Amino acid sequence: MSDQLKELGFTKKTCATCGKDFWSIGERTTCGDAPCDKYEFIGNPATPKKYDLYDIQKEFNNFFKERGHTPIKRYPVLAKRWRDDVFLVGASIYDFQPWVTSGLVEPPANPLVIAQPSIRLNDVDNVGRTGRHMTCFTMGAHHAFNTVEDHVYWKDETVKYCHDFIKHIGIDPKEITYIESWWEGGGNAGPCYEICVRGVELATLVFIQYKTTPNGLEEIPLKVVDTGYGLERFAWISQGTPTAYDASFGPVIDQLKKLAGVELDENILAENARIAGMMDIEDIADLKELRQRVAEKLGISSQELKNATEPMEAVYIIADHTRCLCFMIADGVIPSNVKEGYLARLVLRRTIRFIKDLELHESLGDIMKIQLEFLSITYPEIKEQQTHILNVINLEEKRYQKTVSKGRKLVKRSIKDLKKENKNEIPVELLIKLYDSHGMPPETIEEIAKSENFKAAVPDNFYTRVAEEHSDEKVVTKTEIELKFPETDLIFYDKPQKIEFEAGIIGFHENNVILDRTIFYPEGGGQPSDIGFIRVKGNKMDKFPVLHAEKVQGVVLHRMDSKDIEKLKPFKGSRVTGEIDAHRRTALTQNHTATHLIVAAARKVLGDHVWQAGAQKGVEKSRIDLSHYRRISTKDLQDIEFIANKYVMGNFSVHTKWMNRTNAEKKYGFRLYQGGIVPGANIRTVKIDGIDVQACAGTHVKLTGDIGLIKISRTERIQDGVERLEFSAGEAAIKTIQITDNYLKESSSIFKVPSEQLPKTCNRFFNEWKSFKNEIERLKDEIARLKVGELSDHALKIGDIMALSQLVEADMNELVTIATDLTENENSIDVVIVGNKSGNIVGASSKNAEGIGIKVNEIIKDSAKILGGGGGGRPNLAQGAGPNYNKIEEALEFALSQVKDIVSNHKN
């Protein structure tokens, strides 16, 4: 595949073990990758100099910078800022998909070099156990984007750069192998080389030249050099440590070992890593086999090995997971039960589990401080977010304890149900359900099961399985409409104040008329569309209402009633005049700009971690969803409202500008995308001087003072980590205040006190009401007891039991109390059927009555049918009701006759 390899002295061979084609110098017969080759660097570093992770990161960046690559800053690990198909960045190429790799947008530099923190949870259960798996790793990459007009470099140059870098850090080229392979991901594909040294894969060189389609591969004009260098593995091979964890975050591991009192057995861990390198760890069987093989090699039992390695594995897991959490939370992920928040919570709660296993006295927050101190040296943005990260961690730790405490009863109930089904084990499906729906970790379920003499089938790859289910966004594929019309000229951007316009009818699609230009804003970005009407020019009589507008493939569809469409069709090609509802447009414009101010104010009050998670603008009221880890207090809400209105009173200018997407991101960063993913090579930026800048296609005021007033009316939590604020702007805000003011005045009038005394008065009345309510309940109980005494005299002896059927003046709760009291006291009546004139009927029975086959739930069910209703309950207590309350005495007599029949049949 490469002439360059030949020039460097490499020859192509076929691996004698796996059969793959590879290139190497010399006479070797195996490909150099595990399991064909053993790890030969543990205790035997491959480089003369030892690099830690950040040394190798600097070396990598500087090497490529000196060779014409522009270093760029890392992207957030939260990929949903610019992608709608995945949640987290899993490789450096994710940063440039789909906008750059599709050729739609220019790359931020070309060629470029980046060290991108990447997160993959597809091997989360292997972390700590194998020596090499990590949830968070640093992908060093140099990328080139080649077009027909601008060829940067391709395969030969890429191979030379890789070869020179590996040689530069001191690895003998004779130890390098290039394995020919194939890569696919993110809708792209191409041939690749996997680069191995001493049994470990260090890098992959991918040459993207195709896109994957339902019909197969399709050549793309943009050819992308996509490389990935595992910098943690470079650090590992340079140090020869037992595991990659020791080489990558040794200072964190050293502190954790001291806290836990764990001694490092380098021989066992090194042997464990060597054998793990020879295996493809994918499922539960492999992990068990791994322990068995290491134990046999060391001449000890699997249990002895487990006892020796588990504490150190826990240390490695905690070190890895806390690093992952630092990047996640710093970049805007809020732990929750959905999407990327689900993945963060999975990692977080798994970390807590291993802290518990090590019996550490420190909290997760305490451990996070160790990791934060270590990461902050290289990533100052993480240091800036330290307070927020620790706030989230501490709150989540408390939530976890509550979840486990509440979930114990649920697990015990599930075990009880399984025992009734003659099962002796909690199946994996139920474990996943208990974790997904109730947050119960499988380890805790297993502990509870043991205490109940039950089993739990917890697989070693449990967390991998649940992570895979939640790793990708479920993208709804929309059916594309085929529209063969030129794009509509959007007048409302250039002339936002214009409410009338002239245009030409160029066609129709279903119930939509298509014009060559329009001032009707099409629905988008949470802003509803304009409405209004059009007239055929020269015909002032007929108005054709426009009910809705939407943009498809750049074409604005103006929806109308089907009858109006038919009337308009003969006028295709004619000129029309149109007018929008000006009051509606003004209100929507005010609300949309107010949304920007509220987001900015929320960041100031709550913290920079706040992101917009959704919005819907309206005329009378709007809402905005904000990512935040705790409930927004009344004080916070008032502060947000106050600051937002100060921004209004400041009368700041609002600037709108179309910008090249790449240039906009360079200038403003990913804060642009508060409103979600914005498509296109060019994006419209809305900048409010000194306050906020967003990519936004909505309509906006020219000055913030034009908003008039912002009133936030309420807040609610719509899901974990997302707070919804409801607000109004302009005239609607004034109306909201007036409505609230009327409530105060009416309430003051009812209580006959000034409004400032309302809280105190309401509190007094509420406490008095509670007191009266309790007294009423006490009196009801007393009356019920008196009625019980009176009713006892009306009991009848039927065979060997006493029975009572009686109409009583009492509500349903009192009927239940009377029935249960009469069947449970010392001189109990065996069967009691009581009813009231409202059509309620209640039955209760003693154990003696149950013994002869009386089931009051069946009697009440049948009796309630006479009332035209239904009933049910337990065999010894049931209730029913029906609308035919005038038949209550008939129902009571029927119930008593049923009792008599059962007693009679029992005797016979």
Side-chain angles (χ1 to χ4, degrees):
M1 190 166 67
S2 173
D3 292 333
Q4 181 66 60
L5 285 171
K6 292 178 182 177
E7 290 182 23
L8 293 170
F10 287 77
T11 56
K12 188 173 181 178
K13 307 175 182 68
T14 300
C15 180
T17 303
C18 69
K20 291 180 181 177
D21 291 335
F22 72 97
W23 296 73
S24 69
I25 297 173
E27 301 302 319
R28 69 178 302 137
T29 59
T30 52
C31 64
D33 193 11
C36 303
D37 287 75
K38 298 178 181 179
Y39 284 180
E40 296 173 351
F41 60 89
I42 296 177
N44 179 30
T47 64
K49 178 183 176 180
K50 293 185 178 182
Y51 295 92
D52 67 23
L53 177 57
Y54 303 116
D55 287 338
I56 197 68
Q57 188 169 313
K58 288 177 186 175
E59 197 72 35
F60 181 81
N61 277 325
N62 289 337
F63 177 88
F64 284 97
K65 182 181 179 181
E66 291 168 2
R67 286 156 180 79
H69 293 70
T70 302
I72 64 170
K73 291 181 179 179
R74 75 174 184 91
Y75 278 49
V77 298
L78 185 55
K80 66 177 277 187
R81 298 285 179 241
W82 64 93
R83 295 183 63 165
D84 62 1
D85 56 336
V86 295
F87 299 129
L88 303 171
V89 170
S92 61
I93 195 64
Y94 280 41
D95 300 345
F96 313 109
Q97 292 172 320
W99 308 109
V100 176
T101 56
S102 66
L104 189 67
V105 174
E106 290 290 322
N110 196 12
L112 62 83
V113 61
I114 187 173
Q116 177 63 44
S118 305
I119 295 174
R120 295 181 189 174
L121 303 182
N122 58 316
D123 288 312
V124 64
D125 291 293
N126 297 327
V127 173
R129 290 165 161 166
T130 63
R132 71 180 188 273
H133 285 97
M134 296 180 178
T135 58
C136 182
F137 62 96
T138 313
M139 180 174 282
H142 54 99
H143 293 283
F145 305 89
N146 300 285
T147 63
V148 175
E149 299 80 16
D150 182 19
H151 179 85
V152 185
Y153 64 79
W154 194 228
K155 296 176 183 177
D156 284 351
E157 298 91 333
T158 304
V159 168
K160 184 69 164 58
Y161 280 132
C162 179
H163 179 271
D164 289 351
F165 174 71
I166 295 176
K167 184 179 178 181
H168 169 77
I169 63 172
I171 295 175
D172 186 346
K174 292 180 181 178
E175 297 200 64
I176 308 171
T177 60
Y178 290 78
I179 302 169
E180 292 187 359
S181 189
W182 183 263
W183 175 90
E184 288 188 15
N188 298 120
C192 71
Y193 285 121
E194 295 167 357
I195 291 82
C196 298
V197 173
R198 297 192 185 181
V200 67
E201 183 184 337
L202 294 178
T204 304
L205 313 178
V206 179
F207 306 100
I208 298 176
Q209 58 192 98
Y210 304 101
K211 71 175 179 180
T212 54
T213 72
N215 299 320
L217 298 177
E218 185 179 309
E219 187 94 16
I220 54 176
L222 182 72
K223 304 296 191 294
V224 181
V225 172
D226 170 25
T227 67
Y229 293 68
L231 297 186
E232 282 82 2
R233 293 190 180 184
F234 274 94
W236 187 18
I237 203 171
S238 79
Q239 295 184 42
T241 51
T243 72
Y245 318 119
D246 301 294
S248 301
F249 25 85
V252 175
I253 288 169
D254 288 341
Q255 290 190 62
L256 290 175
K257 280 162 53 182
K258 287 179 184 177
L259 290 174
V262 174
E263 294 294 329
L264 173 66
D265 191 323
E266 292 200 6
N267 290 331
I268 289 180
L269 292 168
E271 195 59 46
N272 192 71
R274 287 192 192 99
I275 293 177
M278 301 292 290
M279 301 178 68
D280 188 11
I281 306 296
E282 288 183 349
D283 54 43
I284 180 174
D286 284 334
L287 287 169
K288 288 180 177 177
E289 185 183 340
L290 170 62
R291 289 205 191 279
Q292 183 61 38
R293 286 175 62 175
V294 174
E296 289 173 0
K297 186 77 180 283
L298 296 170
I300 58 177
S301 69
S302 294
Q303 189 59 46
E304 287 174 312
L305 175 67
K306 186 178 179 182
N307 294 340
T309 58
E310 276 194 340
M312 199 62 212
E313 287 174 357
V315 167
Y316 290 148
I317 290 166
I318 293 167
D320 167 271
H321 284 16
T322 50
R323 178 169 73 151
C324 184
L325 287 169
C326 283
F327 281 111
M328 277 181 156
I329 300 172
D331 288 353
V333 180
I334 300 294
S336 70
N337 53 9
V338 295
K339 300 187 177 182
E340 69 277 356
Y342 179 98
L343 301 174
R345 185 168 279 174
L346 181 151
V347 175
L348 189 151
R349 292 184 171 182
R350 200 165 181 269
T351 310
I352 294 173
R353 169 222 162 169
F354 284 101
I355 290 173
K356 179 185 175 185
D357 286 354
L358 284 178
E359 299 181 354
L360 290 171
H361 298 296
E362 287 75 12
S363 66
L364 175 57
D366 295 330
I367 303 299
M368 287 293 291
K369 289 176 185 176
I370 299 171
Q371 184 65 259
L372 285 164
E373 183 180 354
F374 177 66
L375 285 177
S376 294
I377 299 168
T378 305
Y379 301 99
E381 68 273 21
I382 285 181
K383 187 174 183 64
E384 290 169 8
Q385 292 291 326
Q386 180 165 329
T387 300
H388 164 63
I389 292 169
L390 291 174
N391 284 342
V392 171
I393 291 297
N394 293 333
L395 185 63
E396 277 294 310
E397 196 163 14
K398 290 176 183 175
R399 285 176 175 163
Y400 173 74
Q401 303 303 338
K402 288 181 180 178
T403 295
V404 171
S405 178
K406 286 171 63 177
R408 288 183 179 275
K409 289 182 180 178
L410 179 64
V411 175
K412 288 181 178 180
R413 191 161 61 244
S414 298
I415 291 171
K416 187 177 179 181
D417 292 340
L418 288 168
K419 285 180 176 179
K420 288 179 181 178
E421 297 172 13
N422 295 320
K423 294 180 179 177
N424 61 359
E425 185 177 73
I426 302 175
V428 176
E429 294 73 20
L430 181 55
L431 289 172
I432 292 174
K433 182 180 178 181
L434 288 168
Y435 180 81
D436 269 351
S437 303
H438 304 282
M440 285 299 292
E443 299 81 14
T444 304
I445 296 172
E446 193 170 32
E447 290 171 7
I448 297 169
K450 283 180 182 177
S451 70
E452 299 286 322
N453 296 317
F454 209 69
K455 294 179 182 178
V458 183
D460 277 358
N461 64 345
F462 176 86
Y463 289 99
T464 300
R465 289 176 63 168
V466 296
E468 285 175 349
E469 287 292 317
H470 295 266
S471 291
D472 299 328
E473 179 70 281
K474 304 297 184 283
V475 181
V476 178
T477 305
K478 295 181 179 178
T479 304
E480 288 291 332
I481 302 173
E482 286 294 328
L483 294 175
K484 297 179 180 179
F485 299 100
E487 290 191 5
T488 309
D489 182 12
L490 307 177
I491 310 171
F492 53 80
Y493 282 141
D494 297 327
K495 299 178 180 179
Q497 308 305 319
K498 195 174 181 66
I499 63 169
E500 296 180 354
F501 73 113
E502 183 178 318
I505 298 176
I506 62 174
F508 299 88
H509 174 76
E510 296 178 349
N511 287 345
N512 300 279
V513 62
I514 298 167
L515 309 176
D516 58 0
R517 59 205 298 265
T518 189
I519 62 169
F520 282 86
Y521 177 82
E523 183 171 8
Q527 179 172 328
S529 77
D530 286 327
I531 60 173
F533 64 87
I534 63 172
R535 280 195 177 105
V536 177
K537 203 167 182 185
N539 179 2
K540 295 184 178 180
M541 298 297 293
D542 292 330
K543 276 186 179 181
F544 298 96
V546 175
L547 308 175
H548 182 262
E550 66 173 315
K551 188 167 69 171
V552 179
Q553 299 164 16
V555 178
V556 176
L557 305 178
H558 302 77
R559 193 172 75 228
M560 294 183 170
D561 185 270
S562 58
K563 292 178 181 178
D564 289 335
I565 289 290
E566 292 304 316
K567 289 180 183 178
L568 272 175
K569 280 184 178 179
F571 294 98
K572 181 180 178 181
S574 300
R575 303 298 290 174
V576 297
T577 58
E579 185 176 327
I580 61 169
D581 183 328
H583 181 268
R584 176 185 171 89
R585 163 69 75 80
T586 298
L588 291 171
T589 298
Q590 290 171 324
N591 275 273
H592 204 143
T593 313
T595 303
H596 290 226
L597 299 186
I598 291 171
V599 172
R603 284 204 302 270
K604 199 162 187 176
V605 173
L606 305 174
D608 281 340
H609 63 275
V610 169
W611 279 78
Q612 183 176 320
Q616 183 60 51
K617 292 81 180 180
V619 175
E620 294 299 324
K621 62 182 179 180
S622 300
R623 59 174 169 77
I624 182 167
D625 300 335
L626 302 176
S627 62
H628 187 50
Y629 56 92
R630 59 159 57 105
R631 293 305 316 271
I632 297 177
S633 68
T634 302
K635 174 67 166 57
D636 288 339
L637 205 64
Q638 290 172 341
D639 289 345
I640 293 168
E641 182 181 80
F642 182 78
I643 292 170
N645 279 291
K646 280 190 72 174
Y647 291 153
V648 171
M649 291 183 284
N651 206 27
F652 296 98
S653 294
V654 181
H655 309 280
T656 58
K657 182 181 179 182
W658 286 94
M659 295 182 70
N660 171 273
R661 186 186 198 93
T662 302
N663 293 338
E665 288 176 1
K666 282 182 181 178
K667 187 171 184 178
Y668 299 117
F670 290 99
R671 281 283 179 195
L672 278 169
Y673 304 126
Q674 287 290 332
I677 298 164
V678 179
N682 296 309
I683 58 177
R684 182 170 177 264
T685 59
V686 178
K687 181 184 178 185
I688 305 173
D689 288 338
I691 297 171
D692 182 70
V693 59
Q694 292 186 33
C696 183
T699 60
H700 294 278
V701 298
K702 287 290 186 182
L703 297 165
T704 58
D706 295 338
I707 294 171
L709 178 69
I710 296 172
K711 178 60 185 173
I712 302 176
S713 52
R714 62 191 292 266
T715 181
E716 65 174 319
R717 169 148 288 190
I718 59 169
Q719 67 181 52
D720 274 0
V722 179
E723 294 283 306
R724 173 166 291 172
L725 276 61
E726 194 174 280
F727 68 95
S728 302
E731 289 181 8
I734 297 171
K735 289 178 183 176
T736 299
I737 291 171
Q738 289 174 338
I739 290 168
T740 303
D741 192 46
N742 283 338
Y743 288 150
L744 286 173
K745 287 176 180 176
E746 288 176 17
S747 299
S748 299
S749 175
I750 291 169
F751 285 111
K752 294 182 172 54
V753 296
S755 58
E756 62 267 22
Q757 292 184 21
L758 265 178
K760 185 178 179 181
T761 304
C762 287
N763 186 56
R764 177 168 62 83
F765 271 86
F766 179 72
N767 288 330
E768 288 176 359
W769 171 80
K770 280 200 302 183
S771 177
F772 289 142
K773 184 183 177 185
N774 292 335
E775 180 63 15
I776 289 167
E777 291 300 321
R778 187 189 67 78
L779 291 171
K780 279 186 175 181
D781 288 342
E782 183 66 28
I783 291 168
R785 280 194 294 273
L786 291 171
K787 287 177 180 176
V788 165
E790 293 175 4
L791 288 170
S792 298
D793 297 336
H794 297 280
L796 302 173
K797 187 169 180 62
I798 302 173
D800 295 331
I801 69 166
M802 296 296 292
L804 170 69
S805 176
Q806 196 74 21
L807 182 65
V808 183
E809 286 188 22
D811 60 24
M812 178 64 91
N813 289 334
E814 288 177 295
L815 290 178
V816 172
T817 301
I818 291 168
T820 52
D821 281 357
L822 284 168
T823 54
E824 291 176 1
N825 63 27
E826 292 181 7
N827 300 310
S828 66
I829 299 171
D830 295 298
V831 180
V832 174
I833 310 291
V834 286
N836 63 20
K837 291 182 179 179
S838 298
N840 299 312
I841 187 168
V842 172
S845 64
S846 66
K847 289 184 179 180
N848 185 37
E850 288 181 62
I852 64 171
I854 293 176
K855 295 179 180 179
V856 292
N857 56 339
E858 294 179 0
I859 294 172
I860 293 298
K861 181 180 178 182
D862 291 338
S863 300
K865 289 179 182 177
I866 296 171
L867 298 170
R874 301 192 303 272
N876 66 331
L877 180 63
Q879 60 189 52
N884 301 332
Y885 54 86
N886 57 324
K887 293 186 177 182
I888 186 64
E889 291 186 357
E890 182 183 340
L892 290 168
E893 289 174 8
F894 173 79
L896 187 61
S897 69
Q898 290 286 92
V899 174
K900 291 177 180 178
D901 289 345
I902 294 169
V903 172
S904 176
N905 291 335
H906 180 71
K907 282 184 177 182
N908 297 331

